[in-house]
């Protein structure tokens, strides 16, 4: 009879572990979605900052730090200007007439994003770097 109680305990423990794993997976999906939303919002902020920078200076900023707090133009938050926010690494290239910014996830399984002076946001599948030929979001 004791062995029956033992089996019942093992089954109950397995069910608890299974339920916990399901909740963690759900939490992970929500967290990934929030990180992607934050990255997209930051990219749009950089695009708006570049538009303002261009209208003021007649050229695009060459680097994120040029758009950030002093000695930059103070148009984007310090963390974005530093290139790291919400689990994404931001990098930008640019010259007087064009720019491109990418957001690469630090965690596997998330999409990467690309935005340039055209304002078209592009994303890649998880594990691939987004670029100008990636599908529009």
């Amino acid at each position: 009879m004791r062995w029956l109680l033992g089996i019942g305990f093992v089954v109950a423990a397995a069910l608890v572990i299974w339920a916990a794993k399901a909740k963690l997976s759900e939490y992970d999906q929500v967290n990934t979605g929030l990180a992607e939303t934050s990255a997209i919002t930051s990219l749009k902020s950089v695009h708006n900052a570049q538009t303002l920078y261009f209208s003021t200076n007649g050229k695009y900023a060459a680097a994120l730090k040029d758009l950030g707090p002093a000695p930059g133009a103070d148009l984007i938050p310090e963390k974005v200007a530093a290139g790291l926010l919400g689990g994404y690494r931001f990098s930008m290239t640019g010259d007087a007439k064009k720019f491109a910014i990418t957001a690469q996830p630090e965690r596997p399984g998330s999409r990467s994003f690309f935005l340039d002076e055209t304002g078209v946001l592009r994303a890649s599948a998880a594990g691939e770097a987004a670029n100008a030929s990636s599908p529009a979001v």
Side-chain angles (χ1 to χ4, degrees):
M1 195 62 156
R2 285 186 176 181
W3 65 271
L4 251 146
L5 288 173
I7 290 174
F9 177 74
V10 170
V11 169
L15 286 172
V16 167
I17 291 170
W18 176 78
K21 279 186 169 183
K23 279 295 178 191
L24 283 175
S25 176
E26 185 178 308
Y27 171 78
D28 215 25
Q29 289 174 345
V30 168
N31 198 28
T32 298
L34 290 173
E36 287 185 357
T37 300
S38 175
I40 291 168
T41 301
S42 296
L43 287 173
K44 289 179 178 180
S45 293
V46 171
H47 183 267
N48 292 339
Q50 281 284 43
T51 301
L52 184 59
Y53 189 93
F54 187 86
S55 68
T56 304
N57 299 296
K59 63 179 182 175
Y60 289 113
L64 286 172
K65 65 180 171 123
D66 297 335
L67 298 171
D74 202 17
L75 298 172
I76 60 173
E78 183 177 355
K79 288 187 176 186
V80 176
L84 184 61
L85 178 68
Y88 274 82
R89 290 203 172 277
F90 296 87
S91 61
M92 187 175 77
T93 57
D95 60 31
K97 297 182 182 191
K98 60 185 178 183
F99 74 93
I101 181 167
T102 58
Q104 299 292 338
E106 292 192 302
R107 285 180 23 172
S110 298
R111 298 181 297 169
S112 67
F113 300 97
F114 173 90
L115 186 66
D116 61 12
E117 70 280 352
T118 65
V120 177
L121 179 66
R122 300 182 179 281
S124 71
E128 298 176 16
N131 57 45
S133 60
S134 297
V137 176

